Amino acid sequence: FGPTAGGLLFYLQDGVPTGLVNIPPGASNIKNEDFAFFVQDKWQILPNFTFNYGLRWEAQIFPDTVVDPSKTAYGIFLSNPAFPSDGTLHNQKKEFQPRLGFAWDVRNNHKSVLRASWGIYNGRQNMLTQVGSITTNGAQQRTIFTNSGIIASGGPAPVWPNALPVTPGNSSCSGPPVNSFPCFTGVRVFSKDYANPRIYTTNVALEHEIFRDVAV
């Protein structure tokens, strides 16, 4: 690739003003709090028909940000309605999950049973994804990017083994700086409309006894 590595794609984690990692990333101590509550009951509508119903509620409380969002690399965009995030992780407190089911002894002879169930379930957001969003904010950690096209247009080029030159951040890397962060600082954020995955399930099964203690 030559001394300037013009064809090489650079991803420098934890970039700092000198271009390479020379300070330890800020430490983070984060935690999640999970709460759950459920009620359930069954109704014997007929001797051969049982109806089950219940409701489960869950909440996942996310950690607070480590750095004030206004002081991050994306802080200048927080007032822009087009920017997808407000820099925080919104707690998930509206996870109501109803469950329904029934068992029907079709011929009332304990040999053929039709079972069905329906329910709503919520997935849980993993902490590794949360950490990435909380710490990769440009101030605590960031990704610096360059490639041949940027270098050809006059952008900074790395010369091995020296550091990647880093200029103050601006909207196009060719105009006046708009903040103190390097050009093309990579960050990660959660959408302000984020919600944990919601899953709808339906199951139907017919069981029939063909021999004693053997059913299909």
Side-chain angles (χ1 to χ4, degrees), residues 5-154:
L8 183 63
L9 200 64
F10 275 80
Y11 289 95
L12 302 180
Q13 297 297 327
D14 304 331
V16 292
T18 56
L20 291 177
V21 181
N22 61 6
I23 59 172
S28 299
N29 182 11
I30 72 170
K31 65 178 181 179
N32 276 193
E33 294 181 339
D34 294 272
F35 302 93
F37 175 80
F38 72 92
V39 292
Q40 64 181 33
D41 198 4
K42 71 175 182 178
W43 179 18
Q44 192 74 43
I45 300 176
L46 297 170
N48 64 331
F49 190 95
T50 302
F51 180 64
N52 299 277
Y53 52 95
L55 177 66
R56 182 179 181 86
W57 169 81
E58 294 180 349
Q60 185 177 8
I61 308 303
F62 293 139
D64 294 328
T65 56
V66 177
V67 177
D68 186 334
S70 65
K71 298 179 181 179
T72 64
Y74 54 81
I76 59 173
F77 303 112
L78 292 176
S79 60
N80 186 341
F83 191 67
S85 178
D86 60 11
T88 66
L89 282 67
H90 292 195
N91 296 326
Q92 304 295 296
K93 298 180 179 180
K94 299 180 179 180
E95 299 182 337
F96 293 96
Q97 305 162 62
R99 314 281 170 82
L100 303 173
F102 70 82
W104 177 29
D105 184 354
V106 179
R107 297 182 178 179
N108 202 20
N109 61 1
H110 307 295
K111 291 184 178 294
S112 297
V113 180
L114 178 65
R115 304 180 189 275
S117 64
W118 174 88
I120 297 176
Y121 299 79
N122 279 100
R124 186 179 184 278
Q125 179 55 254
N126 68 83
M127 292 188 69
L128 183 60
T129 302
Q130 299 169 39
V131 171
S133 177
I134 290 174
T135 60
T136 310
N137 50 32
Q140 190 173 4
Q141 296 185 69
R142 60 177 171 251
T143 300
I144 301 174
F145 165 83
T146 191
N147 63 15
S148 297
I150 296 173
I151 295 172
S153 63

